[in-house]
């Protein structure tokens, strides 16, 4: 099993190319199930979850090819499809639930295993199920599988007004994809507003879908008879960009994050600037970019924040910013409102010398900690990133075990960090 060896104390300098967003690429791969025409995606990140989704789609009968450069992939499912997502492929990746809506909309039936993923708390799929039932689907959950089909004599899902009980990103995406081929109008109330949802909608529009309001809490979809193929570039990963920005803030340095988009990182950039980090938007020949400059944690002020749905502070950046708060100056309080079990990194940060006390969903942090290297264990995807950031600051060598979590969501992180001056290497056990 691979691990990372990190020797801290190095400033970061140079440029990082931000990869495509995992949380956009995975639903967009599933969107290829909606058409018999070829679909081409570019800027697909090289991640374990992407490889798992590829195997899942291929197991259903889809032809998936790597094409060109810049993460190009081609998807084509003109032949028969097996509308089943087995437990063996689904158990490590919650995003596999995103096959349910497209399969049901195109074929009229689907069987998808209840999903797995990071152990950060309950992420129920009841919102997906209730929304599809509102569109006329008959759904039974039995033996660990979601069994869905259209009623006898029904050829298409029916448009409906759906108000979810909670904001759910994958739920919004699943219902959005299903609605594109439904009969009549579907209105999604309380919809997720994340940039990845809007990017999926833009891809579906390129395929011929009729969608309005994406990026807001109300999305309207006029169903069409069929969708066609398209070419679409996956939006840049705002969480990867935020992670590197926090790493630069903690270690000190001057790094240009190519393809990063400031409008997708509003809450994170606001906290970084309040802490004392200089963040500036730049335009490059390749598009948008962010320059992040910091004198290091000794010159920064720790920040209070609470996670919330977009456009609030993202739960996927909580662990990374907590690592910064541990070494910045002053006391801070971090409140996690999205997932009930997302402080598992706290004990591992404490092994490095962090001073954190957790009470319920709030972590109280005494900053200006002097971190020293130790062996730590990654417990989930974003916790892995927080340990890397802390290790980049810590004195001596840190070993981060179980980095397969990191590989699920970061495209060659250690190579990108090494290119900007970090002393980091991947070793096999």
């Amino acid at each position: 099993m691979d691990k990372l060896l990190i020797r801290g104390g190095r400033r970061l300098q140079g440029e990082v190319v931000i990869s495509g967003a995992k949380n956009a690429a995975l639903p967009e791969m599933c969107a290829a199930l909606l058409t018999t025409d070829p679909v081409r995606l570019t800027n697909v990140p090289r991640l374990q979850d992407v490889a798992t989704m590829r195997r899942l789609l291929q197991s259903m009968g889809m032809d998936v090819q790597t094409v060109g450069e810049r993460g190009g992939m081609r998807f084509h499912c003109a032949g028969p499809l097996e509308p089943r997502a087995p437990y063996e492929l689904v158990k490590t990746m919650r995003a596999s639930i995103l096959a349910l809506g497209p399969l049901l909309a195109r074929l009229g039936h689907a069987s998808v295993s209840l999903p797995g993923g990071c152990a950060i708390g309950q992420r129920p799929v009841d919102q997906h199920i209730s929304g599809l039932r509102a569109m006329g689907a008959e759904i039974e959950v039995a033996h660990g599988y979601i069994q869905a089909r259209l009623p006898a004599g029904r050829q298409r899902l029916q448009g409906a007004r759906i108000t979810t009980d909670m904001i759910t990103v994958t739920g919004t995406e699943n219902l959005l994809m299903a609605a594109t081929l439904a009969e009549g109008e579907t209105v999604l109330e309380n919809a997720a507003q994340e940039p990845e949802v809007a990017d999926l909608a833009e891809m579906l529009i390129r395929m011929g879908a009729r969608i309005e309001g994406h990026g807001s809490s109300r999305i309207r979809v006029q169903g069409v008879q069929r969708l066609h193929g398209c070419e679409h570039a996956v939006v840049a990963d705002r969480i990867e960009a935020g992670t590197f920005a926090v790493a630069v803030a903690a270690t000190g340095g001057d790094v240009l994050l190519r393809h990063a988009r400031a409008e997708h990182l509003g809450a994170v950039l606001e906290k970084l600037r309040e802490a004392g980090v200089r963040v500036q938007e730049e335009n490059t020949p390749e598009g948008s970019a962010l320059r992040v400059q910091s004198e290091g944690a000794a010159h920064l002020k720790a920040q209070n924040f609470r996670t919330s749905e977009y456009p609030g502070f993202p739960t996927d950046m909580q662990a990374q910013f907590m690592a910064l708060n541990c070494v910045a100056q002053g006391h801070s309080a971090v409140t996690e409102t999205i997932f009930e079990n997302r402080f598992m990194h706290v004990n591992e940060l404490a092994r490095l010398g962090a001073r954190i006390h957790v009470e319920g969903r709030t972590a109280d942090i005494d900053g200006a900690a002097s971190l020293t290297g130790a062996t730590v264990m990654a417990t989930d995807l974003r916790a892995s990133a927080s340990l890397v950031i802390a290790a980049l600051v810590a004195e001596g060598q840190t070993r981060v075990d179980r980095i397969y979590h990191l590989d699920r969501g970061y495209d060659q992180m250690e190579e990108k960090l090494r290119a900007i001056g970090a002393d980091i290497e991947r070793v096999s056990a």
Side-chain angles (χ1 to χ4, degrees):
M1 188 177 295
D2 287 0
K3 60 195 69 176
L4 290 178
L5 297 181
I6 304 169
R7 288 159 285 274
R10 303 278 292 269
R11 288 172 63 86
L12 302 180
Q13 191 88 19
E15 298 183 358
V16 172
V17 177
I18 301 301
S19 301
K22 178 193 82 158
N23 290 339
L26 297 177
E28 287 165 4
M29 293 171 73
C30 288
L33 291 166
L34 291 164
T35 179
T36 58
D37 295 343
V39 170
R40 178 166 175 168
L41 295 177
T42 59
N43 203 34
V44 180
R46 294 164 290 183
L47 304 173
Q48 187 58 48
D49 276 7
V50 169
T52 301
M53 183 64 79
R54 177 176 184 158
R55 291 196 300 273
L56 176 60
L57 294 174
Q58 288 173 323
S59 75
M60 297 177 186
M62 179 181 287
D63 179 56
V64 184
Q65 302 291 332
T66 300
V67 293
E69 299 179 354
R70 283 197 66 229
M73 297 182 75
R74 180 181 179 272
F75 306 85
H76 195 198
C77 54
L81 283 175
E82 175 60 39
R84 186 173 186 272
Y87 172 74
E88 291 72 23
L89 288 172
V90 168
K91 62 183 178 181
T92 62
M93 185 182 64
R94 183 177 185 274
S96 52
I97 190 67
L98 290 165
L100 178 61
L103 287 172
L104 183 59
R106 179 176 163 189
L107 301 179
H109 58 107
S111 176
V112 177
S113 172
L114 292 169
C118 285
I120 58 176
Q122 293 297 313
R123 297 190 282 185
V125 298
D126 58 327
Q127 303 300 304
H128 305 242
I129 293 172
S130 61
L132 291 171
R133 280 176 173 159
M135 298 172 73
E138 296 177 345
I139 300 179
E140 178 185 11
V141 180
H143 309 294
Y145 278 79
I146 303 170
Q147 308 280 355
R149 65 176 55 254
L150 294 180
R154 185 73 59 78
Q155 301 298 315
R156 297 168 65 186
L157 290 168
Q158 303 297 299
R161 181 176 292 273
I162 302 169
T163 303
T164 54
D165 295 334
M166 58 185 290
I167 298 175
T168 162
V169 174
T170 53
T172 299
E173 291 167 339
N174 228 342
L175 299 174
L176 174 62
M177 288 188 283
T180 61
L181 293 180
E183 185 176 354
E185 180 181 76
T186 298
V187 181
L188 303 179
E189 303 278 9
N190 203 29
Q193 303 176 50
E194 274 75 358
E196 295 80 17
V197 175
D199 196 58
L200 170 63
E202 289 296 327
M203 174 188 173
L204 293 169
I205 290 169
R206 288 189 174 94
M207 296 173 68
R210 298 171 60 192
I211 302 171
E212 296 178 349
H214 46 293
S216 75
S217 61
R218 176 183 293 155
I219 303 175
R220 291 184 179 272
V221 185
Q222 301 290 338
V224 297
Q225 287 280 355
R226 68 177 301 273
L227 296 177
H228 52 72
C230 76
E231 181 169 336
H232 178 75
V234 178
V235 69
D237 192 331
R238 62 192 171 97
I239 303 302
E240 183 187 32
T243 299
F244 276 95
V246 170
V248 177
T251 62
D254 182 344
V255 174
L256 184 70
L257 305 177
R258 293 192 177 274
H259 304 311
R261 296 172 61 172
E263 66 269 25
H264 292 170
L265 281 165
V268 174
L269 298 187
E270 179 181 353
K271 287 298 178 182
L272 283 173
R273 287 170 174 141
E274 290 176 0
V277 181
R278 293 183 295 278
V279 184
Q280 182 177 344
E281 296 180 60
E282 294 191 9
N283 290 318
T284 71
E286 296 81 22
S288 61
L290 289 174
R291 182 170 296 280
V292 183
Q293 297 171 303
S294 170
E295 295 302 319
H299 300 271
L300 301 181
K301 180 181 178 181
Q303 297 296 304
N304 300 326
F305 66 91
R306 61 189 295 121
T307 63
S308 61
E309 293 85 358
Y310 189 87
F313 195 99
T315 182
D316 279 352
M317 283 298 304
Q318 176 255 108
Q320 301 92 306
F321 214 104
M322 184 184 291
L324 174 61
N325 276 350
C326 290
V327 294
Q329 307 304 301
H331 176 85
S332 61
V334 172
T335 302
E336 172 61 52
T337 71
I338 307 299
F339 296 122
E340 71 276 9
N341 197 25
R342 207 164 199 179
F343 281 153
M344 291 189 292
H345 48 283
V346 167
N347 288 338
E348 300 304 305
L349 288 172
R351 289 179 54 78
L352 299 173
R355 298 172 296 191
I356 310 171
H357 173 72
V358 175
E359 189 71 36
R361 290 198 170 199
T362 298
D364 290 301
I365 304 159
D366 290 319
S370 297
L371 303 186
T372 55
T375 298
V376 292
M377 180 180 68
T379 54
D380 62 70
L381 170 54
R382 305 307 173 184
S384 308
S386 76
L387 298 177
V388 170
I389 291 169
L392 291 172
V393 182
E395 178 183 350
Q397 178 173 286
T398 298
R399 188 180 85 188
V400 183
D401 289 337
R402 293 176 62 178
I403 61 169
Y404 59 85
H405 288 294
L406 197 73
D407 294 336
R408 289 188 50 236
Y410 289 94
D411 186 345
Q412 300 178 305
M413 174 183 261
E414 75 278 7
E415 292 186 15
K416 292 181 179 182
L417 284 169
R418 191 182 307 116
I420 56 175
D423 188 346
I424 181 172
E425 62 177 319
R426 177 184 291 252
V427 296
S428 298

